[in-house]
Amino acid sequence: DSGVTQTPKHLITATGQRVTLRCSPRSGDLSVYWYQQSLDQGLQFLIQYYNGEERAKGNILERFSAQQFPDLHSELNLSSLELGDSALYFCASSSRSQGNTGELFFGEGSRLTVL
Amino acid sequence: GENVEQHPSTLSVQEGDSAVIKCTYSDSASNYFPWYKQELGKRPQLIIDIRSNVGEKKDQRIAVTLNKTAKHFSLHITETQPEDSAVYFCAASLFNQGGKLIFGQGTELSVKP
């Protein structure tokens, strides 16, 4: 158990819909990262938050948005869903205070299926 | 931005043989290079990492080497075992700045008994 919690684990929805994925980082971790893993694809970086503020942005579509709340949990919002958005979405967290190892601790992922 | 290329995409070895996975990165400012292992249906987990001030690091059967000049780094697994079968990802980032990890495309390693 990495200590990172993601919900829901599985989600099936239709094209055009909107979903929200939730992530609770490890206790004390200030940074949250979102990655997308499609079939046969690697881990595509979407966005990073640090202590509530956006830190870095990757190949995140305009239809996607995220935020990190004061309690440090994060949400990834996916709207106007398309078939190609079907993927496993990972959240990861890391700490800058605990020796700054750089290690990312991944959650179990949220598997999104768009029909 | 940073781009990481990883080869090969698939690798099949016999149990007991060695396996080598290679990665190249584009941003010369990157200074932290971890390797993650992802077993089927599981989350990625860190197995070893190296910083740019070190050329080689070893942990039991796994080792990582880094060539900063050529901007490439490699993962070496010796005496492979069936439980080493997984997808391995290399990554690069800027350490000490909470930098995002940019991952390679992954290598699916299969160790045949």
Side-chain angles (χ1 to χ4, degrees):
Chain A
D1 184 5
S2 67
V4 178
T5 304
Q6 288 187 248
T7 57
K9 286 185 169 51
H10 301 277
L11 188 56
I12 301 174
T13 189
T15 54
Q17 295 298 304
R18 172 190 171 94
V19 298
T20 297
L21 310 180
R22 181 187 168 100
C23 170
S24 293
R26 292 189 319 156
S27 177
D29 283 359
L30 301 179
S31 281
V32 169
Y33 306 75
W34 286 97
Y35 286 86
Q36 179 192 56
Q37 186 173 42
S38 302
L39 191 64
D40 295 332
Q41 293 292 312
L43 294 155
Q44 300 294 320
F45 171 70
L46 296 179
I47 199 163
Q48 176 199 359
Y49 281 85
Y50 173 73
N51 202 21
E53 295 193 359
E54 183 182 305
R55 172 62 64 90
K57 217 171 202 181
N59 298 323
I60 187 167
L61 300 172
E62 286 191 8
R63 300 183 286 106
F64 296 0
S65 65
Q67 60 185 122
Q68 185 179 28
F69 295 86
D71 66 352
L72 301 178
H73 92 271
S74 177
E75 292 182 357
L76 179 65
N77 301 295
L78 315 175
S79 61
S80 301
L81 286 168
E82 301 175 359
L83 296 178
D85 297 328
S86 296
L88 186 56
Y89 291 84
F90 281 108
C91 169
S93 73
S94 72
S95 170
R96 289 172 63 89
S97 62
Q98 295 176 9
N100 200 9
T101 63
E103 179 174 3
L104 296 192
F105 295 88
F106 284 82
E108 298 295 328
S110 291
R111 182 167 296 282
L112 172 66
T113 302
V114 182
L115 300 176
Chain B
E2 178 64 274
N3 183 53
V4 179
E5 297 286 335
Q6 183 172 346
H7 300 280
S9 56
T10 60
L11 179 60
S12 182
V13 299
Q14 288 295 132
E15 183 177 359
D17 287 350
S18 295
V20 180
I21 303 170
K22 299 182 179 182
C23 290
T24 59
Y25 61 99
S26 62
D27 189 348
S28 57
S30 290
N31 56 8
Y32 175 64
F33 308 93
W35 287 85
Y36 283 75
K37 176 182 180 182
Q38 186 178 25
E39 296 178 353
L40 190 63
K42 301 285 185 65
R43 59 187 171 87
Q45 291 186 271
L46 178 71
I47 55 171
I48 194 167
D49 57 14
I50 191 168
R51 300 184 199 180
S52 59
N53 58 348
V54 176
E56 184 174 356
K57 184 176 178 180
K58 189 173 181 180
D59 183 4
Q60 299 184 342
R61 294 186 300 106
I62 60 174
V64 57
T65 58
L66 171 66
N67 182 327
K68 281 187 63 179
T69 302
K71 289 190 285 186
H72 67 70
F73 55 113
S74 301
L75 177 71
H76 304 253
I77 306 174
T78 59
E79 300 172 16
T80 54
Q81 302 168 3
E83 51 265 38
D84 293 329
S85 296
V87 178
Y88 291 81
F89 292 98
C90 62
S93 83
L94 280 172
F95 185 75
N96 271 342
Q97 296 184 26
K100 59 186 185 290
L101 285 183
I102 300 301
F103 286 88
Q105 288 301 97
T107 296
E108 184 175 0
L109 173 64
S110 176
V111 180
K112 300 185 184 307

